[in-house]
Amino acid sequence: MITLENLSKSFSANGNPVVALRDVSLDINAGSLFGVVGPAGSGKSTLARVVGLQERPDRGVVRLDGLNTGALDGRRLREIRRQVGVLDAKPELHAERTIAGNIASPLEQLGLDGPTRRTRVGNLLDLVGLTQRATQRPAELTAGQRRRVAVARALASSPSVLLADDPTAGIHSEESGAVLAVLDRARAELGVTVVLTTPDAGVVRRVCDDVAVLEAGSLIERGSVLDLITNPATRTAQSLLPAIETTRAQAAKYERSVDVVLVGFAAIGALLPEAATRFDVELATIGGGVTRVGDTPVARFRLGIRGEQAEGALGWIAERGAHVHTARTPQAIVAA
């Protein structure tokens, strides 16, 4: 468990103070893949450096499994730092060394013997899917492959926490999925707690269990990704749910319209047809679509409704886990 208590951090820029973090408090569960999302300047990278014990906060406490890291210094601080692997936004590999050699470099610094290093490097090459590239140099790899090498190197010393600062930065979209898959494997197979910062909410949608949203150094929102997207008012839902585009003419065909959020295969496939049959109402999808949060399908639909038992149908849907909201966002309606 990583616990952040009222973290604040400021810097000086051209003689003026710049607040990077403002009283940020978070709990990050052990073994989770936690996303910190926000625009440039929101404080994401500063938070990552503070959690990674690379910088001390001006105020507040970082606790790792209950240990107050602010009270540590010297040898004990160095020991705890080794429990946190860091993947920088722009990691540099040793151009003259092979891929295997790059991954082995932190193990050499730790003084591990050759057989132990080779076993560990082999396991990590398999984890990141680059076993066949072991003897190549970084220049022979794509940007996405080099980033996966950097992930393996950050994991070499067997940290319990991996901080990945904007891990898909500068990588083409077709390769970013492989990098995110490696982070997910590290969490699933090695039990590493992964803290990932990104300006791209789509990255959170693809791999994160929980998310914190930062803006101008302040914590705007936090919670389970699946919980947050069910409330259309949250920043997370606004970023991740399918957009609704429907015409006034379409909505005018029905007695009323509502927005529903459905989570899971069963809800998306069966809940609306069953409600329509059970209550003898018409439930027509007039906008929205389906996306995925990790492996879970999530739909946001705008429904046009006709029938005397419309209210009963909507209540029945809500009782079975759907989230029903009055359609009241004219910005999402395209004029006919």
Side-chain angles (χ1 to χ4, degrees), residues 6 25 97 115 142 151 214 232 250 258 263 319 323 330-331:
N6 304 112
S25 295
R97 302 197 69 168
T142 66
V151 173
L214 290 182
Q250 286 175 304
V258 298
V263 178
E319 289 172 1
H323 302 268
Q331 298 92 335

Side-chain angles (χ1 to χ4, degrees), residues 20-311:
L21 296 174
R22 306 170 188 264
D23 292 318
V24 174
S25 295
L26 281 174
D27 289 326
I28 301 174
N29 293 325
S32 67
L33 208 164
F34 192 99
V36 181
V37 65
S42 61
K44 305 183 304 297
S45 294
T46 300
L47 183 67
R49 289 193 298 271
V50 170
V51 172
L53 309 182
Q54 297 168 300
E55 294 184 11
R56 289 186 182 272
D58 299 333
R59 294 184 302 279
V61 176
V62 177
R63 299 184 189 276
L64 299 180
D65 292 330
L67 178 67
N68 181 356
T69 60
L72 304 177
D73 56 19
R75 179 178 178 182
R76 182 59 175 149
L77 179 59
R78 290 192 295 272
E79 290 174 352
I80 298 301
R81 277 177 177 159
R82 283 200 289 269
Q83 296 180 21
V84 183
V86 177
L87 174 67
D88 294 324
K90 297 181 179 179
E92 296 291 334
L93 300 179
H94 302 295
E96 75 285 357
R97 302 197 69 168
T98 64
I99 300 311
N102 269 277
I103 298 171
S105 59
L107 301 177
E108 294 168 359
Q109 295 171 14
L110 291 174
L112 270 67
D113 61 73
T116 302
R117 290 201 309 270
R118 285 190 290 273
T119 298
R120 180 67 178 160
V121 169
N123 291 338
L124 288 168
L125 283 167
D126 178 66
L127 180 81
V128 300
L130 292 172
T131 300
Q132 301 303 316
R133 306 279 187 172
T135 59
Q136 293 183 298
R137 299 293 195 275
E140 299 175 78
L141 273 57
T142 66
Q145 289 170 334
R146 289 194 294 272
R147 191 64 52 87
R148 283 188 273 156
V149 174
V151 173
R153 185 176 61 183
L155 292 169
S157 59
S158 301
S160 58
V161 176
L162 175 63
L163 296 176
D165 190 10
D166 202 358
T168 60
I171 299 175
H172 292 302
S173 57
E174 59 267 23
E175 287 198 291
S176 64
V179 175
L180 296 177
V182 165
L183 295 176
D184 197 27
R185 287 190 69 186
R187 179 268 299 267
E189 297 181 19
L190 304 180
V192 177
T193 302
V194 180
V195 181
L196 177 158
T197 74
T198 178
D200 182 0
V203 168
V204 170
R205 176 182 60 78
R206 292 164 74 176
V207 295
C208 292
D209 306 307
D210 304 290
V211 64
V213 180
L214 290 182
E215 185 175 282
S218 296
L219 181 65
I220 303 300
E221 195 168 275
R222 62 184 170 186
S224 158
V225 177
L226 283 173
D227 287 344
L228 289 171
I229 63 170
T230 61
N231 180 357
T234 65
R235 296 283 188 91
T236 302
Q238 292 168 17
S239 299
L240 299 184
L241 287 176
I244 292 178
E245 294 184 354
T246 186
T247 66
R248 290 187 177 90
Q250 286 175 304
K253 296 177 182 178
Y254 300 92
E255 295 171 1
R256 61 182 294 194
S257 59
V258 298
D259 293 346
V260 298
V261 178
L262 305 168
V263 178
F265 291 100
I268 293 172
L271 204 55
L272 298 181
E274 186 174 348
T277 300
R278 181 182 292 264
F279 291 89
D280 191 25
V281 297
E282 182 179 359
L283 296 175
T285 300
I286 58 175
V290 180
T291 187
R292 280 182 177 270
V293 175
D295 293 328
T296 304
V298 178
R300 177 166 64 172
F301 297 134
R302 178 156 295 171
L303 301 179
I305 306 171
R306 263 198 300 259
E308 293 183 1
Q309 299 188 71
E311 203 62 43

